[in-house]
């Protein structure tokens, strides 16, 4: 009888959405969204999600820029909490948590309304300011100076409070999966494919960040920001991560002071690589060091693998995050790959071709050039497209904009790193990955800098069929919890 009446009871509906300020994995303020539903006439907390935060402030940013970013982050979180507890709470009341598309449509309309309202307020503020200024407001800025950010918009053009949209959309998706008694990854798959959902699901390959090459140290190298390991597909995820950990342990042994037992830096590499001291673990959960040229970190990886009987290019593969947008010297119009050494965009293409020819174990270059250098991206794809993936990350951090204009800031490339941030909605992620699938581009879901302990990103990656998952290193709880979720899904699938 209980089961009979349970089957004919009303479907759960959202009765309350709660937002609060919490901390992410690096102690920065961010937003948590909770969903409460009416289930069999009782109010019940269903789930919550914590948004990750992403900083686009370069490592060598001035204290003033960093301070401004922190203030804008706090303002955005405060505004986001207010949006959730007031407008979004009223707007979503009595909706079914399983009606994801309707919820996302309403969230999108609300965001558009807020953006238009902010635009109007900016225009009025500018007109009032111009009326009181004794000189034109459009006077050119001094060299090296940036114009002040407009009210309501942060340094990077994001609407203050926008993370409330992404947080609420993901929280509703988790609530929908919970009330449907379905794992989130399978729920997202059903949202994407409907009745055509694949019978077998594949896990994304992990891109595990092992080294973060610091650019603020005395080291000269600036080109390689992250060195990542990708296990071969024939290994299970568990075997692949164990192999990565073995390489990490060997690298830590190589950094031990000379004379300690176990240090085996091959003579062939000594003349090329004199490792600087490790400087701890970065917020990405990986080892921090410095190098004097781009090849040193690659030779270190090669040495570590050789020492434990592994061969790069067969037993393990490399990916490099070049973060080229951080290298540009705008006065010279060139990239500073080493301290005092500059290369034009065309010279960068030649350099990458030489690097891949020398290290064929590199199967992916992330952000090898800025998105503005479209011609050079095309040239690089022609030269290296058959040898490695050329991935755009910085060009694709805003999923909503990509969905509206598929050509916005996306150069010719093999694939895109997508990050679930700000006003991104689950429906946006599903739609865009569908477009990328149709264009035969690979999808990589990336973990933001200010990661939280919420492991939903893994379910999203499996649900949308991402080829790779870029989670950072195998240290720090907010990173490891996602690898553990990936391991759990491997057992389940």
């Amino acid at each position: 009888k209980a089961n009979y009446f349970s089957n004919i009871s009303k479907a759960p509906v959202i009765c309350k959405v709660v937002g609060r300020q919490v901390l992410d994995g690096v102690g920065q303020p961010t937003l948590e969204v909770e969903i409460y539903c009416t289930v069999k006439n009782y109010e019940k907390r269903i789930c919550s999600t914590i948004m990750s935060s992403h900083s686009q402030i370069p490592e060598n940013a001035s204290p003033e820029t960093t301070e401004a970013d922190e203030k804008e982050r706090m303002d955005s979180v405060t505004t986001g909490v207010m949006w959730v507890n007031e407008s979004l709470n009223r707007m979503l009341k009595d909706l079914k948590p399983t009606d994801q598309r309707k919820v996302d449509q309403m969230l999108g309309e609300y965001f558009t309304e807020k953006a238009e309202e902010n635009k109007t307020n900016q225009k009025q503020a500018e007109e009032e300011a111009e009326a009181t200024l004794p000189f034109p407001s459009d006077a050119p800025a001094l060299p090296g100076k940036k114009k002040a950010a407009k009210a309501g918009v942060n340094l990077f053009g994001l609407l203050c409070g926008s993370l409330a949209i992404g947080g609420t959309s993901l929280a509703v998706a988790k609530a929908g999966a919970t009330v449907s008694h379905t794992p989130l990854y399978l729920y997202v798959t059903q949202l994407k494919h409907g009745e055509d959902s694949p019978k077998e699901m594949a896990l994304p390959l992990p891109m595990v960040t092992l080294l973060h090459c610091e650019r603020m140290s005395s080291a000269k190298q600036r080109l390689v920001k992250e060195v990542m390991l990708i296990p071969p597909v024939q290994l299970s995820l568990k075997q692949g991560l164990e192999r990565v950990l073995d390489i990490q342990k060997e690298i830590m042994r190589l950094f031990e002071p000379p004379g300690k037992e176990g240090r085996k830096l091959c003579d062939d590499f000594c003349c090329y690589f004199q490792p600087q001291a490790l400087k701890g673990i970065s917020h990405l959960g990986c080892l921090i060091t410095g190098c004097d040229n781009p090849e040193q970190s690659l030779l270190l990886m090669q040495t570590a693998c050789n020492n434990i009987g592994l061969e790069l290019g067969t037993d393990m593969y490399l990916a490099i995050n070049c973060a080229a947008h951080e290298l540009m010297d705008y006065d010279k119009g060139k990239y500073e790959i080493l301290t005092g050494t500059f290369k034009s965009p065309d010279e960068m293409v030649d350099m990458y071709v030489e690097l891949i020819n020398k290290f064929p174990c590199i199967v992916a270059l992330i952000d090898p050039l800025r998105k503005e250098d479209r011609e050079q991206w095309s040239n690089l794809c022609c030269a290296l497209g058959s040898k490695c993936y050329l991935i755009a990350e910085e060009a694709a951090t805003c999923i909503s904009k990509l969905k509206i204009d598929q050509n916005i800031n996306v150069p010719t490339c093999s694939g895109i790193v997508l990050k679930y941030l700000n006003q991104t909605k689950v429906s946006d992620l599903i739609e865009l990955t569908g477009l990328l699938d149709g264009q035969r581009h690979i999808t990589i879901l990336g973990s933001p800098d200010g990661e939280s302990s919420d492991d939903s990103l893994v379910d999203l990656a499996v649900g949308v069929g991402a080829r790779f998952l870029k989670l950072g290193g195998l240290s720090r709880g907010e990173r490891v919890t996602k690898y553990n979720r990936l391991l759990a899904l491997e057992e389940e699938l």
Side-chain angles (χ1 to χ4, degrees):
K1 288 182 179 179
N3 289 339
Y4 171 76
F5 285 111
S6 176
N7 290 333
I8 64 173
S9 63
K10 288 182 67 175
V13 294
I14 297 171
C15 63
K16 186 168 63 174
V17 184
V18 177
R20 64 170 58 89
Q21 178 183 315
V22 294
L23 298 177
D24 64 16
V26 291
Q28 294 282 8
T30 191
L31 174 70
E32 179 183 30
V33 180
E34 287 183 319
I35 302 291
Y36 289 76
C37 289
T38 302
V39 183
K40 300 174 187 176
N41 293 327
Y42 288 97
E43 180 182 295
K44 183 179 180 182
R45 181 187 182 276
I46 301 298
C47 67
S48 71
T49 190
I50 299 176
M51 284 296 284
S52 302
S53 58
H54 179 59
S55 175
Q56 293 177 318
I57 299 293
E59 292 177 356
N60 57 352
S62 66
E64 293 80 8
T65 303
T66 304
E67 184 179 345
D69 176 64
E70 291 174 355
K71 181 181 184 305
E72 287 158 359
R73 188 192 303 271
M74 178 62 76
D75 290 345
S76 185
V77 172
T78 303
T79 304
V81 170
M82 182 182 68
W83 284 10
V84 173
N85 289 330
E86 296 176 9
S87 304
L88 301 186
N89 181 41
R90 291 192 302 270
M91 189 171 68
L92 301 183
K93 190 171 183 180
D94 296 330
L95 287 179
K96 294 179 182 178
T98 52
D99 202 347
Q100 187 71 38
R101 297 195 183 280
K102 185 175 180 180
V103 168
D104 284 347
Q105 182 181 353
M106 295 175 72
L107 290 173
E109 291 170 354
Y110 178 80
F111 178 79
T112 301
E113 178 187 323
K114 283 292 182 182
E116 289 298 324
E117 179 184 313
N118 184 70
K119 192 175 179 180
T120 302
N121 292 339
Q122 286 178 15
K123 189 174 181 180
Q124 290 177 351
E126 287 172 4
E127 289 173 353
E128 291 173 3
E130 285 178 4
T132 59
L133 288 175
F135 51 85
S137 62
D138 58 352
L142 293 173
K145 300 290 183 180
K146 291 185 178 180
K147 291 184 178 180
K150 297 175 181 177
V153 180
N154 72 12
L155 288 173
F156 308 104
L158 298 173
L159 184 63
C160 189
S162 61
L163 74 172
I165 304 299
T168 303
S169 177
L170 181 55
V172 169
K174 291 177 73 173
T178 301
V179 301
S180 301
H181 306 290
T182 305
L184 180 58
Y185 71 88
L186 186 57
Y187 184 76
V188 173
T189 301
Q190 292 167 353
L191 287 175
K192 181 173 180 177
H193 297 285
E195 296 179 356
D196 299 325
S197 296
K199 293 181 181 179
E200 293 185 2
M201 302 180 68
L203 289 176
L205 276 173
M207 285 182 164
V208 186
T209 307
L210 197 56
L211 284 182
H212 176 87
C213 300
E214 196 174 45
R215 292 171 176 170
M216 295 178 67
S217 66
S218 57
K220 297 177 182 178
Q221 193 278 137
R222 297 170 57 82
L223 177 68
V224 177
K225 185 174 184 179
E226 293 176 69
V227 180
M228 291 161 279
L229 295 178
I230 302 176
V233 292
Q234 63 268 25
L235 294 183
S236 69
L237 177 68
K238 184 178 180 182
Q239 291 171 327
L241 293 183
E242 286 174 350
R243 191 170 285 184
V244 170
L245 284 171
D246 288 341
I247 296 171
Q248 180 173 296
K249 289 175 185 175
E250 178 59 25
I251 283 180
M252 293 178 74
R253 280 197 289 269
L254 290 174
F255 277 100
E256 290 177 356
K260 275 201 171 186
E261 187 177 355
R263 179 182 169 88
K264 296 183 293 181
L265 191 59
C266 297
D267 293 337
D268 293 344
F269 299 107
C270 281
C271 57
Y272 295 105
F273 189 84
Q274 296 297 329
Q276 300 186 14
L278 286 176
K279 299 184 179 181
I281 302 294
S282 80
H283 62 276
L284 296 174
C286 58
L287 304 174
I288 306 175
T289 187
C291 300
D292 287 327
N293 65 63
E295 294 184 6
Q296 284 185 343
S297 56
L298 305 177
L299 290 167
L300 174 64
M301 290 289 184
Q302 203 169 54
T303 303
C305 287
N306 289 344
N307 286 353
I308 59 176
L310 298 177
E311 184 181 349
L312 278 178
T314 303
D315 302 313
M316 188 63 66
Y317 298 90
L318 296 183
I320 296 174
N321 181 8
C322 305
H325 55 282
E326 297 180 13
L327 305 178
M328 177 57 68
D329 185 308
Y330 289 93
D331 292 333
K332 293 182 172 64
K334 293 185 176 183
Y335 295 93
E336 188 176 13
I337 63 164
L338 303 173
T339 302
T341 301
F342 300 87
K343 287 188 180 291
S344 69
D346 290 325
E347 290 172 332
M348 293 287 283
V349 173
D350 295 336
M351 182 197 66
Y352 286 125
V353 170
E354 184 180 339
L355 186 68
I356 297 300
N357 287 337
K358 189 169 184 178
F359 295 94
C361 55
I362 300 172
V363 296
L365 293 175
I366 298 176
D367 282 345
L369 298 159
R370 296 181 310 142
K371 54 183 174 279
E372 291 83 0
D373 295 323
R374 290 176 176 270
E375 181 183 345
Q376 285 76 22
W377 270 96
S378 297
N379 295 340
L380 198 57
C381 283
C382 290
L384 295 176
S386 61
K387 297 182 178 180
C388 71
Y389 293 119
L390 299 165
I391 308 298
E393 178 174 6
E394 182 63 22
T397 53
C398 186
I399 294 174
S400 298
K401 286 184 179 179
L402 280 169
K403 187 176 76 71
I404 295 168
D405 181 356
Q406 296 167 37
N407 295 316
I408 186 170
N409 290 335
V410 181
T412 303
C413 59
S414 312
I416 294 175
V417 179
L418 302 178
K419 296 180 181 178
Y420 193 91
L421 297 164
N422 307 313
Q423 70 267 26
T424 301
K425 301 181 288 295
V426 172
S427 297
D428 294 340
L429 183 62
I430 289 170
E431 186 175 344
L432 182 58
T433 54
L435 291 171
L436 292 173
D437 294 344
Q439 297 168 358
R440 297 187 178 181
H441 282 69
I442 63 169
T443 297
I444 303 168
L445 250 63
S447 188
D449 298 335
E451 189 53 278
S452 72
S453 57
D454 193 309
D455 60 11
S456 305
L457 182 69
V458 176
D459 286 74
L460 289 176
V462 175
V464 300
R467 181 80 63 87
F468 295 101
L469 188 55
K470 185 172 176 285
L471 294 174
L474 284 168
S475 300
R476 301 184 66 98
E478 66 277 11
R479 306 281 168 181
V480 175
T481 189
K482 293 174 181 59
Y483 285 109
N484 287 337
R485 175 60 179 160
L486 202 55
L487 288 167
L489 289 185
E490 182 179 53
E491 290 185 10
E492 186 173 331
L493 293 173

